[in-house]
Amino acid sequence: MAEETHTPRVFSGIKPSGGLTLGNYLGAIKRFVATQGSAMETIYCVVDLHAITVWQDPADLTKATREVAAGYLASGLDPAKSILFNQSQVSGHAELAWIFNCVARLGWMNRMTQFKEKAGKNAEKQSLGLYAYPSLMAADILLYHATHVPVGEDQKQHVELTRDIAAKFNHDFKAGGFFPMPEPVIEGPATRVMNLRDGTKKMSKSGESDMERINMTDDADTIAKKFKKARTDPAPLPDAYDDLADRPEARNLVDIYAALNDMTPQAVIAEYAGAGWGQFKPALADLAVAKLAPISQEMERLMADPAEIDRVLAQGSERARAIAAPILDRTYDLVGMIRGA
Ligand code: TYM
């Protein structure tokens, strides 16, 4: 089969497992919103099938799915410009994931660092879904022939695996360039927002203490308190950003400031060189409240009308299905499955 050229298309997703954090906002949502309206079609998903790889109470899952959708919308994602939907409403994700389970090799899955981190010493007790999850993620991306995948640093390995799966499928089924080689897009100062209590760990939804993360639903007082109590070292801010290389907590706060204010971390340092934490932390807290409080208020307003969120997700799902259906049909043809005329 001849090589194909693929129209540039963006796909990314967020798991509705617990609430959204500042890491999700800066590493993902804010960047998604910035991409929309460009020449590329943009598809953003609430990946509920991924969430259930670890136990989710059904009522909590429903609420978290709406909350992620509300987070997207409150941050400026416009359903007229982007497709916004929840994964389980488009059955092609699960169907293509099965085919990819038969393409991906166990050796590839065994290299996935996120599984090792999440499973820890309890790998035997984890669900099969958690282990197979990166092949579902490959299906999410390739079901739309997406070419660009904006993500935080922690997802890079999964996008690389997606490329391996695409290449092996194309090769095994003599499919030319049927599946594109998607590019991870990992840009800006906040592709790895760190834990406020330990600058060597990623800020995540599931960390032990609420003080280590900013949640997108935190109110202004909570946001200010968490930044003021964030761990730092005693030294003031240096004259050069590179001097923060061995000061992870300090660098994290500078990076967060930069990302929130659409500046480079170098520009933040130029403004605050020599400043102590007594000056920088309140400035960061004020900035964060100014940027995040309107979003959390809008999320609250949207969450008060779940039927409207569900309507947006249903419409987005219909549009997503229209793109996915012919790609899935061709995939089945390539694999040799008999299809009704
Ligand atoms: P998830 O739900 O863990 O995170 C969603 C997005 O937020 C980014 N992110 C961060 N970025 C910077 N700093 C942090 N501390 C931080 N924490 C999270 C993640 O990198 C991600 O971009 N497997 C994915 C979801 C997914 C997906 C996809 C993404 C499923 N299918 C297809 C892209 C394309 C996940 O668990 O992300």
Side-chain angles (χ1 to χ4, degrees), residues 11-312:
F11 181 94
S12 200
I14 298 182
K15 269 195 318 269
S17 50
L20 290 168
T21 69
L22 181 65
N24 297 131
Y25 176 64
L26 295 177
I29 299 179
K30 188 170 191 285
R31 297 173 48 227
F32 300 170
V33 172
T35 318
Q36 111 187 315
S38 68
M40 282 194 259
E41 186 168 27
T42 42
I43 308 177
Y44 297 117
C45 189
V46 187
V47 288
D48 47 9
L49 295 173
H50 282 274
I52 61 165
T53 53
V54 296
W55 168 251
Q56 303 293 330
D57 173 82
D60 291 348
L61 177 66
T62 307
K63 182 164 178 275
T65 303
R66 292 189 183 126
E67 192 179 302
V68 173
Y72 275 120
L73 295 168
S75 303
L77 199 123
D78 178 354
K81 292 187 185 150
S82 297
I83 297 180
L84 173 61
F85 73 108
N86 61 310
Q87 186 187 24
S88 61
Q89 293 206 61
V90 182
S91 60
H93 290 254
E95 293 178 58
L96 188 59
W98 178 257
I99 293 176
F100 287 168
N101 282 347
C102 302
V103 171
R105 304 290 93 183
L106 282 180
W108 301 358
M109 307 314 271
N110 287 337
R111 284 199 290 276
M112 295 296 113
T113 54
Q114 201 173 62
F115 177 79
K116 289 184 205 161
E117 277 161 25
K118 284 200 176 171
K121 293 199 183 82
N122 276 327
E124 298 275 316
K125 294 217 164 78
Q126 301 303 325
S127 72
L128 181 55
L130 187 69
Y131 185 72
Y133 157 128
S135 117
L136 176 60
M137 180 159 157
D140 300 337
I141 297 166
L142 295 172
L143 184 61
Y144 301 95
H145 278 182
T147 53
H148 294 76
V149 187
V151 280
E153 182 68 44
D154 61 329
Q155 295 299 322
K156 187 172 181 211
Q157 195 184 30
H158 294 158
V159 184
E160 285 165 357
L161 179 88
T162 301
R163 295 166 65 95
D164 291 341
I165 291 175
K168 185 163 164 57
F169 182 98
N170 288 345
H171 172 267
D172 290 357
F173 294 101
K174 300 189 176 39
F178 176 63
F179 283 119
M181 296 292 139
E183 291 286 343
V185 184
I186 303 172
E187 284 168 355
T191 55
R192 191 169 175 82
V193 176
M194 307 310 275
N195 176 324
L196 297 180
R197 286 301 169 113
D198 178 350
T200 63
K201 289 192 189 140
K202 192 186 72 164
M203 182 183 286
S204 80
K205 299 163 190 159
S206 53
E208 282 152 37
S209 153
D210 200 52
M211 289 302 285
E212 64 186 49
R213 63 178 163 266
I214 306 283
N215 304 302
M216 283 188 70
T217 47
D218 283 346
D219 61 26
D221 288 349
T222 311
I223 294 173
K225 186 174 87 194
K226 286 179 177 174
F227 275 121
K228 285 183 187 149
K229 296 212 162 175
R231 184 172 154 186
T232 42
D233 53 35
L237 285 173
D239 299 334
Y241 180 66
D242 289 350
D243 293 344
L244 289 174
D246 298 324
R247 297 172 60 189
E249 284 88 9
R251 192 182 56 208
N252 188 38
L253 296 187
V254 169
D255 288 346
I256 291 174
Y257 191 106
L260 280 170
N261 218 20
D262 296 313
M263 336 166 44
T264 63
Q266 288 78 7
V268 178
I269 287 294
E271 201 172 318
Y272 284 97
W277 296 109
Q279 185 188 343
F280 187 73
K281 280 185 173 178
L284 173 59
D286 286 350
L287 172 66
V289 168
K291 299 284 181 183
L292 300 177
I295 299 177
S296 73
Q297 280 162 16
E298 178 63 4
M299 280 175 75
E300 208 175 303
R301 194 189 67 78
L302 291 165
M303 290 293 284
D305 188 358
E308 175 59 16
I309 297 180
D310 295 0
R311 196 187 59 78
V312 170

